[in-house]
Every structure is written in structure tokens, then in C-alpha cells.
Amino acid sequence: MIGARGGVASVVAAGLVALQKKLTEHTGLTSSLSEFKDIGLVDWDSIVLGGHEIRSTSLLDEVRLFQQSSRAFDWQLIDQIEKELSEIDARIRPGVLANAGQAITALAPPEIANDSRTAREKIRQLQGDLRHFIDSNQLQRAVVINLSSTETQVDSSSIPHSWEELDKNLDQVNCALPASSLYAIAALELGIGFVNFTPSLGCGCPAIEEMALARKAVHMGRDGKTGETLIKSVLAPAFAIRNLQIMSWVGHNIFGNMDGQILDDPANKKTKVASKDQMLGQILGYTPQSHISIEYIRSLGDWKTAWDHIHFKGFLGTPMVMQFTWQGCDSILAAPLVLDLFRFAERAQRAGEIGNLEWLACFFKSPAGTTENNL
Amino acid sequence: MIGARGGVASVVAAGLVALQKKLTEHTGLTSSLSEFKDIGLVDWDSIVLGGHEIRSTSLLDEVRLFQQSSRAFDWQLIDQIEKELSEIDARIRPGVLANAGQAITALAPPEIANDSRTAREKIRQLQGDLRHFIDSNQLQRAVVINLSSTETQVDSSSIPHSWEELDKNLDQVNCALPASSLYAIAALELGIGFVNFTPSLGCGCPAIEEMALARKAVHMGRDGKTGETLIKSVLAPAFAIRNLQIMSWVGHNIFGNMDGQILDDPANKKTKVASKDQMLGQILGYTPQSHISIEYIRSLGDWKTAWDHIHFKGFLGTPMVMQFTWQGCDSILAAPLVLDLFRFAERAQRAGEIGNLEWLACFFKSPAGTTENNL
Amino acid sequence: MIGARGGVASVVAAGLVALQKKLTEHTGLTSSLSEFKDIGLVDWDSIVLGGHEIRSTSLLDEVRLFQQSSRAFDWQLIDQIEKELSEIDARIRPGVLANAGQAITALAPPEIANDSRTAREKIRQLQGDLRHFIDSNQLQRAVVINLSSTETQVDSSSIPHSWEELDKNLDQVNCALPASSLYAIAALELGIGFVNFTPSLGCGCPAIEEMALARKAVHMGRDGKTGETLIKSVLAPAFAIRNLQIMSWVGHNIFGNMDGQILDDPANKKTKVASKDQMLGQILGYTPQSHISIEYIRSLGDWKTAWDHIHFKGFLGTPMVMQFTWQGCDSILAAPLVLDLFRFAERAQRAGEIGNLEWLACFFKSPAGTTENNL
Amino acid sequence: MIGARGGVASVVAAGLVALQKKLTEHTGLTSSLSEFKDIGLVDWDSIVLGGHEIRSTSLLDEVRLFQQSSRAFDWQLIDQIEKELSEIDARIRPGVLANAGQAITALAPPEIANDSRTAREKIRQLQGDLRHFIDSNQLQRAVVINLSSTETQVDSSSIPHSWEELDKNLDQVNCALPASSLYAIAALELGIGFVNFTPSLGCGCPAIEEMALARKAVHMGRDGKTGETLIKSVLAPAFAIRNLQIMSWVGHNIFGNMDGQILDDPANKKTKVASKDQMLGQILGYTPQSHISIEYIRSLGDWKTAWDHIHFKGFLGTPMVMQFTWQGCDSILAAPLVLDLFRFAERAQRAGEIGNLEWLACFFKSPAGTTENNL
């Protein structure tokens, strides 16, 4: 996990241990549906978590903090998984930064924030960590999942289109790749699967995809479809099926976790809004006026609240309205999808698949390699 | 159309004329989607409307009244379709009543309300009207669609299971069949298709289905899926796909049209609530606590407003909430579905299909012959 | 406190101890506003809690259960107040029942449920308990507050209008007074103040009011104004001030605590709905169509959720809509009002006031002695 | 009326004529409440409307356009008031512009947009128009009300504090006063009352207030309190009264009329948001995190829809939520307030009041001369 002590990763860790120790049910896990019972997904017990993190904190502290501020799950759970969380924490290494924007850089200690090494050097460090993680835990396979905060938007025209060129670029000081892409390269070069659960660039450029194919590695992204967008992706098709014309769709999101704090920086927010906003046109076949806003409201913590106002036209031109509000605990919604994606990506790797895993599209707001957004 | 001067029928009539005269767009019509362009659906110009109605009023008055109270479509439209509405009105005949409950019976003039003829005699009258309608308009095919107010719930155990027995029953004074079923028998016996757009019994019993097969007639029902239930039928699957457990689903519906007035009678409301309430279990595979209420609020007229509160459990047992409100003009939502159903049922008849048309399930709250409710 | 181990009383007890030990802030307490700083309200430290309860449980268990199901306050709080809760629990005595309806009676053990003593005998028992409570705790003054579940509606015409007659009635087997009124009589006869925080009858009849004046005791009721109704009582005046005409006001309440379970019995619900429904006419000066429903939805526990839909007419007859949803933890909203009412009623008694305390109207849905409902 | 053919002014004109011809009721008019029956407010029949407008259109066209897009009132009304609307239209003169920002300037024809005369010269033109209006209609008194679109925010430090200095400034080319202030000066210098119904500067600076006192003229502003803010001004006090602590208050406004189009320019929006945002602190006594957004959504036209999310803390620190949505036709809400303000301001002038009319505070989002915002 990249961002291995962040909100989502904390819940992934707590949740996996709870599943391993049978302290919780499978609610929220798509991969636990009966449809997938017989396809040989990896058992919870066989999964070992580790990761990279730029912040100096402990996983246990983060899990406690999350529980106290969100009151999402029972506090008693933490006492029962304390030991295992510390073991996972011991497998988390210092991460790297690059072109992530000021808001994210401010979270890191000086040695990471001011690290002036080339992209290549940082990749080498990550690859050393990955090899060590696999060897020391005697693993057969690994999947890297990016759970870190949204980076500022990258001008993708500044990134070479072929791997040959991009590869050279990695040694240059002005390499425009953000950290999420360095992690992607580190994993994929080693043949390790990479899943980008965030709107950051990650593996989402032709050169990296080219390299992944060459290394026979799987990858998929971007931006986990957890709440408001999940609902949009079933509502919009309903309007389309009934030939009801959407005139405008407004979505207003408020929340107060660290993700929200980072998105409060306009540069980072731009990346996120772009990811949320392209779905409607793809589902409807036309582009209604839409407006998406995301605001950081401290008091809400991890409870992302969204209000959507859908103004549509029916028979004889009659205007009507549907509104919905969504009050979801964001990390609690995201964490099981991360576990699902790990299991599906691992299974695909084991089956010999390579390249982009379009069939995981339903997990993402901006699924790579497809324009199908209907859930 | 049964209930041919009611709210839905009024909009069907106004809408069809507007389509024929190219005064409106195809918004709201599923059958106008590009997917159905090449399957040979009947043209708007080839459709002739007629029907039965128990109330003494005029179609033009009803259309004007509807427009004034709902302000749904532009008032100018009515001036342009006045002549054609009168022509349709001239093809509407007095309807029949039977076991419809007090609320509905109160709407009819004495000669209909107190009509003590047997079911058989009423059916003969309706069949005479249908034959006359087809002959005088030189039609090749007809479909009868029930748009009348919801009847009180019938104890279906009191209705014979075989056509042979039911047929005999039609001559008895205490025949328990409601008017909607008399209309169904009248049509199906003549080989004319029958669609039940309401929660009333209509063609929904084994004896009538048996007869329909023998007469090679098509039929389908019940209860058009127009608004809140349409949305439920896409939201519930989304929760299922993500393995999010619905703990409770509350739906509160308020509206003030004549349908609402009839449903204000507890006997009629029972039929409706039963129809709305069985869907969740069929989609989810388990039955969460659910509560559906329907209240008659005069001031709202045809604007049906629904509030749904969905309480669900996510990963690690975390409770979360989604709410939606729906503000739809009910007859405006229903009318295009009626036109769609007419076109699809006519096409099926033309293609030689017989019996229940399960593939029309997506148009109904309680689709006959299937438990598939996912839109 | 009557109902001294119920949801509201549990939070009153936990909250008072937390205030006494300075473990919490004064949020939610009207009596802690700066406006009341100098009027000599009793200190938290001088208050001693006790009460009556018909159920066999412990206060500590109820507080723990409440915290676990509602996650309202921090679980750590309970460890810090455990000892004091047990001390309060030791001062809670078995209560009495009378004409409370089946739903409430079912909660009591046989010796209370089947207690066939006369009203007079039950009152004597309660008065013995009250005297013992005051003496053993060396108290200067006491106030009894009814926090028990809503009783079924009493036909108030069956209750004598003069105290002389009612007094005689207490010795008869068929005395129609509900338990809440026996508690009221027990307290007021001793000159002890009585506050009815529920919609039950309590002190709300002329005969009891007459006796209270004679005994120089204070009283007030009924039905604490905690959530949805609080909001109505500020919104309705806003519409009146602007001469905007309310056409209909619909309120749909859902919740799942024991109060909700009792209200699920239609007989008890009737009492509650009547209490919530008379306010609009008194504020607006005319009576719009209104509909109030209360439904028991298990999964919500103490989190009362209300949806209100307000349909109003503006200038030139234009219809408009306001809607609100309220998600409040009911006992958490009620408990500080109980503490406020105790302090205000005690202060009034100390100042020599007698009879009905109309100036406490803002705390009640159906304030006794006034038709002023504007907050 | 300034902006005399805009949305609000159109409804003011249509509404006044409808009142004069008894074609509508008094709904929405505060001045028609029984409380004000005996204070001698001017009759509808005695009021003559006129105004200034920078756009080239006709009042009748604007009223028709408004009715068609909003379907607010019955279209039949317009036929009955056509003649009177044309008479009002004939009394509307070309307006002036100054420092209003690009969005507003773009609406005017070249001769107004590029008018390079000094502020003094423009004021002289307006005063000539006002004198002519009063004389030719044989009026005893006049009140000027600013209904024009929100101007960009003015740096008030750039405006001289004394009338002596500001007066000199009027002859200079770089005078920073916006048009709304030129109108204010024009009226007040003549002893005519001035009401600023918009967030623009208008009469809201010390120098102009000083002059108004000298000329014995009345004035008041700013920004009519029509919808979402009206509701906030009754809800916030309710939370304060109960000592419930607001943690955050988010308001998201969407609408699509010309006002919305102008506010879509960030420079103009800033003026508006500032006006909406200062109320909470003044009512609560502390400043919670608040966020107000206003977005232009074409399809909504004049139907301003707001979603407010109020996150508050109750007893024992328990977080709770109230949300509301407001669906109001903005010009329909504003127009009666304009008529009210005209009547109250005229009455005050007649009674010999001078200067700022603080007692009209309840009509304004940012009432001049007071910090009292509780409705």
C-alpha cells in the first residue's frame, strides 16, 4: 500500500486483521459475494500487508484516531488487533515524493520533502523495498495499490509517449513524473501488479503501459468508485433507459479528512473534479450542464456527505427533480474495495493475464481502457 | 384505454396527438431510443385511441384541468390539439364497475354504480364496444391498457383456478372478479392484447392466463414503474453489488391527484403498498425492514413527491445513510410508458407471440411471470 | 425521574455526573446560557437523582447499551462515571402501572403488571418513596419529572373535573387515571413540583391543577420539544411573518428506540401524534392540511430521523417547496432539557411560585396554559 | 425601480397591477398582515411605478418570458394586465452605468456602456428623470429602490468619508462610485427615499449617509432577505436558544436567471457571498466554519434551489445533522418585499423620519445600522 498509514490504508489493515481473526463479517466486500466463491481468490490468511508512507506516525495511532473521530466501528475491535497492526507497521517503509504539490509535500519530514535524487534513484529504492518485502515474507506474488492523497494535475503532454524516451527521462532532474508514477514504474518493472485507487497519474500513461506489457505485469486505475459516483453510475443509466433528458446535474461534496485537506488546495482539487466529471457524458450520450464541487469541512472528518440535484425533462417537456444525499464513511467504503482489487488483481496475475484489467472497471470513477461507466 | 379520461389517459391522448403533429419531442419514450429503431414498431400516425370511462366529463376539460393544476407542459399546446382530443373523446364509451370498492364506485353515475348485471353481461357490452372500435376505425390490431384507479384488494383464493370454472362463475351474481378483470376477459377472449398498468387484479390470475393462451392473446402487468420504484430498482442492485447490507428502507410518498384520493381509502391503499413492497427482497436476496407509506396531500396534485431513507451497513459493521427525494409529475411519467407498452405489445402480437410478455418486466413494479426487478 | 432507567433518564444520569465531575461541556443546556448566569439556579453539585422504574435492569447496563447502539458519546466516559451511576441506581424504586396500555404493561414484571391495588394505595407507596428519598438525602426541595413511555390516550371526559370528586375516585377499582397522573398526584399532594416531559396525561387535568394550587406546588407539561417540532416552531413563524401561505405540511418520523417500540402500538401513537399536530394552527392562524407519521424502524435506534415537506404559496399564487431532514439522537437532545426543567422548576418553587409555569412553554410541544408555540 | 425591466421589477410591476385590479391575493406581502392594517400605509391604487433600465427590451416581453420559463403564475394573468404594463414601460428611462464590472456592462447598448461623462453629469440626468416622473404623475412622494444586478465589490477605503470630499470627487473622471451609488445620491439629494435591495454599495457609505441626513431623506439596505438566508435567520437562533453548538454550516445555492448569470462572474459573486456570510457569527456569538457557494445552473431559471447542511454538537459532545432544501422562485419571493419596502419607506418619509431605517432590518441580509439578524 502506498500511503500505508493513511485513512484508507488504516482501515484496510484493521479490516484484514479482523477478517483473518474472524472478528467481523464480509459486509462491503464484493469479492465475498457468492458469485466469486469458486474462482479461487486468495484467502485472507495468505495476505501479508506492507507499504510505503511519507508521514511519521504509527498505524495503531492512526487506527485509533480514525475510530475516535469517526465512531465508525466498535472501539473494542482495536484492542483485539493491536498486535497484528504493529506487525504490519513494521513492514511499512519511508516513501518518496515527486511533483506532488505543496499540500502533500508539507506532510513529509525534511529528508523526504527535500529529497533531490533523480526519479531513477527513487525507483531503485522502492524496488529494493519491494524485493525485500517479498523475500522476507516468502511471498509468491505482490500487488501494489496506491492509496495516497491526490497529487496535483500533471500536464500529460510533458511526458514522453514511448518507454524508451521516458526511461531516459528518469535520470533527468526535471522529470515531470509524480511520485505515484514512480511507484507504478517500480512495481511494474519488477512484474508486480499495480492498482491506482486515486485520481493521480500512476500507471496512466502510454509509456508506462508499454513497459508493463513488456514485463507481463497487470495494472488498473483510476480513482476508486466509493460513494456519490457509485450512485451516479446507476442513476444516470436509469434516466437514459427511460429517455428522460438530464438538463443539469449538480453534485456538492463536503468532508473533512486528510484527503479533504489536500483537496482544499485548488491544484489537487482540479485532478479530482476532472475524474468525477467525465462519467455523465459517457453514460448518457450527451453532455448536460454539470457542476461538481468538493469542499473541506473540518467537522465532518471521514464522513463524506454529498448532495446531488438532478434536473431532468420528461414527456411533453415537463421539468422534474430528483435529489439525493449520501452520508458515507469514506475510508470504510474504500477499504473493502482495496481488498477486493488486491484479490482480483492477484488472481489475474496468477492466471497469466497481462496489461490493463478493464474488467475491473466497476471499481473506478475513471476506468482505464474503457468508456463504460454504468455500474 | 380503461379510465380513458383519467390523468394518465389524458396525457397519453394529448401526448400522442402532439407526437402525431410533431409538436413535441420524444423525451420519456423508451420505444423511441435508437436501440429500437429497426424493429418495426408501429408509427404514431397509425395509432387510434379510444376507451372506456365511468366518469361523466370530457377529455378536453380533463387535459385543461391537468395543465392548470400541474403546470406541467405549455398551455399553448392545448389550443393546437383541441380538435383531435375531441375526436378521441368521441370514441370513449361508458365503462363498467364491479367489486372496485366504495371510493371508486362513488365517482360513477348511478346507472354505472348500481348496474346489477352479471359479469358476463358486462363483458358482452365491452366486447361489443371493442368490435365496434376496431371495425369503425378499420384497425388491424388492438391493445387494451388498464389505466383506471386502483381497486380494492381481491382475495385471489376466491377466484377459480381454471378457465372452465371461472367461465361458469361469470354468470353468477356473486362473482368476485373486479372490473379490471372483466375488461381483461373481454379483450383476451377476442384475441386482443391486454396490459395492466395498475396494481388491480386485471389479467393476473391463472384462469385468465389459461384462456389467453387458448385465444393466442398477449398480456402483461402489473403496476407501471414510474418514479420512486424505478429509482429503487437501480439503487438496490448497487448496494447488492457492493455487498452493502440494507438494514432498513423507508419510503414516504405524498401526492394529491385522483389516484391519491382513491388510495386514501385504506382498502385501495393496501393493494398499492403490496405492489411496491415485494421488490427489495427479490433484488437483495434477503428482506430488510421496510416501510412504505402513501398519503393523499391535496395541494400537490399530480406532483408525486417521495422521500426514501436507506439505512445500510458497510465494512466493519459501520452504519451509513442514503436519502433521496423524487419530485415527479406522475401522469407525465406514466403516459410515455403507456405508449411504449402499446407499441411493444402490438409488435409482439404482430410477431405471433402469445401469453405473458415477461420481457416487458422493466415497465412494471410487480412484473408478471418473473422475479427479476433490477431495472 | 419516572422511567428512571429509560433512554432519556440514562443520559440525564450520565450527563449530570459528567457535569458534576467536569468531564463534559454545557452544550445543549439552555440553563447554562449567559442569560441565566445571575438568577441563582441550583448548582450541578447540589442535585441528587433518584426515581421510579417498572423494568428490571440496571442503570449502568442501560447507559452502556445506549452508548453501544447509538455511539453518541465517547465510550471512555462510562468508565469514569460508573461508581456514581451505581449510587443513583440504588436510589431507584419499583414504579407503578395503571391504564398505560398493553405495550407498556408488557415491559413490567408480573408483580407490577398485575398489581390490583387502588390508585390511592399506589399513590401512598409513591409518596412513601418520595419522603424517604428527600429525608435520606437531606434535600431541601424535589421535582418529579415524568420520562416514561407514552401511555395510551385517556378519554379526559371520564375524569372528574373537581379535586373533591377525583379524590373520591382514587379509591375505586375502575379509576381511569393513568400511572403518569398517579405520580403527579403523589408529588403535588406533598407540595413537590411535577414536570410532564411526555405526551401522557400526567398533571394535565383541571382537578389535579386545582389540588396543586391548594398545595402550593408548581407543575408544567407536556411533551418535551426536542427535535422536529422544535424546528417547526421556528419555521412556521417565518412563513407567517412573510405572509407565505402554508398549503400542506407533512412530517415523517422514523426511529427505533424503546419509545418508538411503544409508539408502534397504535393506541400509544395516537397520543403522540395529537401532541405534535396542534402547533401549526396556533402559530399560523389557519389550519393547513398536515400529516404526521411516526414509524418504528429498528435499525435507527435512538437516532430519530424526520423528513418534513412544506408546500407553500407565494406572491401571485406561486407554489414553492421547502424540505428538511433532522438526524438527532433523541435522548441526547432530551436529557439537557430535563436538567434545565429541573433547575427552572426548582428555582420557581424556591421563589414561591405556585401552579402552572407557563413561562417554560418553549420546552414543550403542547405547553400547558398557553397557545404560544413560536419558540 | 432601478433595473426596471429585470426579473424582480417585472414581477413587481405585474403584481402591483394585479393587486390594483384585484386579480390576485395578498400572499407574500408582509405589509398586508393584520398587524399593519391601521398604520396608514399607502393604498395600491395610489402607487405609480417607473424606473431606469440599461437594457433594451420591453416590460411586457420580460413578464411573458418570465412566466414561460418559470411557470410561476397563471399565463392568463398577463392578458389581463397587458395595457397597464405598457403604461409602466413608458415611464422607464435609460439608466446609467459606472464601475459595475464587465458582466453587467456587457448587457448595455454602446451609448450606455461607453458613456464617459462624469458621475456628476450622470446624477444630473437621473435627477431630471426623477423630477419629471414626480411632476408628470403629480406625485406627493417617491422612493427609489435598487433592483439591478449585483455590481463588483468596491474597495470602500477608496471612497471619501465626508460628503464634502465625495461631492468634489463626483466631478473627477476616476470617481470610484458604482452606478448604484450614483442613483442613491441622485435620489437622496432631492430628499427622495432610497432602498438598496441588492448587495451593491448603493447608499452604504458614511459620506452618502451624511448627505441623506442633511437632506432629510430616508434610506435602507442591503440585499433583500428572500429565501435561504431568511430560513437561516430563524434556524440559527433556535440552535442558539438550545445551546446547541454549530460546528459547520454549508449552503450551496444553484439558479439560472440573469442574476445568476451575473454572479457567475467571480468579481460579482464575491459581493454576494460576503453579504450572505456574516449573519451566523452575529446570531450565534461565535463563528463556526461556514461555506457558501452560488452556482449558475441554466436549466433552473428563476427557481433558486439551496441545500444547507448544518453540523452541530449536542449534549455530551454528540454530533448531529440538520439539512434543508429550499426551492423558491426568486423574483416571486422578492417582489412583494419590494412593494412592502416601498410602502414602509413611504410611510416613514410621510411621518417625518430621516436617515437609516433600522427597523426594516428583517427585510435584509445585511441590514444597515444594526447587527440584529434574528428574523
Side-chain angles (χ1 to χ4, degrees), chain A residues 30-345:
Chain A
T30 294
S31 62
S32 290
L33 290 173
S34 59
E35 283 86 339
F36 303 113
K37 208 176 47 187
D38 300 325
I39 65 165
L41 293 175
V42 68
D43 288 338
W44 303 124
D45 288 342
S46 309
I47 303 177
V48 177
L49 288 181
H52 287 98
E53 172 63 58
I54 59 162
R55 292 180 307 137
S56 312
T57 173
S58 91
L59 190 55
L60 184 59
D61 283 355
E62 292 294 313
V63 170
R64 281 207 192 283
L65 200 68
F66 175 81
Q67 193 281 329
Q68 274 162 27
S69 67
S70 70
R71 290 178 186 165
F73 48 81
D74 281 332
W75 60 268
Q76 290 99 329
L77 177 64
I78 303 180
D79 291 346
Q80 299 172 278
I81 60 175
E82 208 171 305
K83 191 177 119 275
E84 290 83 357
L85 287 179
S86 299
E87 289 167 10
I88 294 172
D89 212 9
R91 292 191 290 264
I92 298 174
R93 297 288 180 94
V96 301
L97 278 182
N99 304 308
Q102 198 186 345
I104 291 179
T105 308
L107 302 173
E111 65 273 19
I112 293 179
N114 306 327
D115 178 356
S116 60
R117 288 179 298 164
T118 64
R120 175 88 65 204
E121 289 168 313
K122 291 172 181 172
I123 291 170
R124 290 294 165 255
Q125 171 199 321
L126 299 173
Q127 290 179 329
D129 291 343
L130 285 168
R131 280 203 197 90
H132 176 78
F133 175 70
I134 292 172
D135 292 348
S136 60
N137 293 291
Q138 297 177 286
L139 304 175
Q140 292 178 270
R141 236 160 270 103
V143 177
V144 171
I145 305 194
N146 180 23
L147 304 173
S148 62
S149 289
T150 304
E151 298 166 338
T152 52
Q153 209 160 15
V154 175
D155 174 11
S156 58
S157 72
S158 70
I159 297 169
H161 270 53
S162 76
W163 174 246
E164 198 183 345
E165 280 175 277
L166 182 57
D167 194 27
K168 285 179 205 151
N169 198 240
L170 297 177
D171 296 312
Q172 285 164 26
V173 175
N174 63 350
C175 173
L177 286 180
S180 63
S181 295
L182 305 193
Y183 283 105
I185 293 171
L188 295 167
E189 270 200 326
L190 299 182
I192 294 173
F194 183 86
V195 176
N196 185 9
F197 202 71
T198 80
S200 302
L201 184 62
C203 53
C205 61
I208 298 180
E209 290 180 13
E210 179 198 333
M211 180 268 282
L213 275 181
R215 305 297 170 113
K216 298 189 191 303
V218 300
H219 56 89
M220 186 58 186
R222 336 182 200 183
D223 206 4
K225 185 154 80 172
T226 52
E228 185 213 21
T229 312
L230 174 76
I231 298 302
K232 284 173 84 163
S233 74
V234 292
L235 286 180
F239 287 96
I241 285 170
R242 282 292 158 83
N243 207 357
L244 297 166
Q245 185 197 332
I246 307 287
M247 295 187 291
S248 61
W249 193 311
V250 171
H252 193 62
N253 298 268
I254 52 178
F255 67 124
N257 59 18
M258 180 174 299
D259 223 36
Q261 211 172 331
I262 298 299
L263 289 175
D264 214 30
D265 186 314
N268 304 61
K269 191 189 286 190
K270 208 174 152 192
T271 311
K272 184 75 178 183
V273 168
S275 170
K276 286 176 84 88
D277 203 17
Q278 41 70 47
M279 170 194 291
L280 278 186
Q282 291 177 356
I283 290 177
L284 299 173
Y286 59 91
T287 306
Q289 186 184 3
S290 80
H291 179 85
I292 294 178
S293 45
I294 303 177
E295 303 297 340
Y296 175 64
I297 303 296
R298 225 172 11 254
S299 68
L300 288 170
D302 206 62
W303 285 91
K304 189 181 275 185
T305 298
W307 172 66
D308 275 52
H309 179 279
I310 307 157
H311 197 202
F312 65 99
K313 195 184 274 189
F315 197 44
L316 298 175
T318 305
M320 311 189 197
V321 174
M322 176 179 176
Q323 300 172 63
F324 72 83
T325 58
W326 174 266
Q327 297 169 301
C329 191
D330 218 38
S331 300
I332 290 285
L333 287 162
L337 304 188
V338 171
L339 290 168
D340 288 336
L341 284 165
F342 174 77
R343 293 177 94 192
F344 287 122

Side-chain angles (χ1 to χ4, degrees), chain C residues 172-235:
Chain C
Q172 285 163 25
V173 175
N174 64 352
C175 172
L177 286 180
S180 61
S181 295
L182 305 193
Y183 284 105
I185 293 172
L188 296 167
E189 271 202 324
L190 300 181
I192 294 174
F194 184 85
V195 176
N196 185 8
F197 201 71
T198 81
S200 303
L201 185 62
C203 52
C205 62
I208 298 181
E209 290 179 15
E210 179 198 333
M211 179 269 282
L213 274 180
R215 306 295 170 114
K216 299 189 191 301
V218 300
H219 57 87
M220 185 59 187
R222 328 184 205 186
D223 205 3
K225 185 155 79 172
T226 51
E228 185 212 20
T229 312
L230 174 76
I231 298 301
K232 283 173 84 162
S233 74
V234 292
L235 286 181

Side-chain angles (χ1 to χ4, degrees), chain C residues 4 27 57 82 87 93 108 148 157 187-188 193 203 280 323 330 353 363 366:
Chain C
T27 314
T57 174
E82 209 171 306
E87 290 167 9
R93 298 286 180 95
S148 63
S157 72
L188 296 167
C203 52
L280 277 186
Q323 300 172 63
D330 218 38
E353 290 204 37
F363 288 97
S366 307

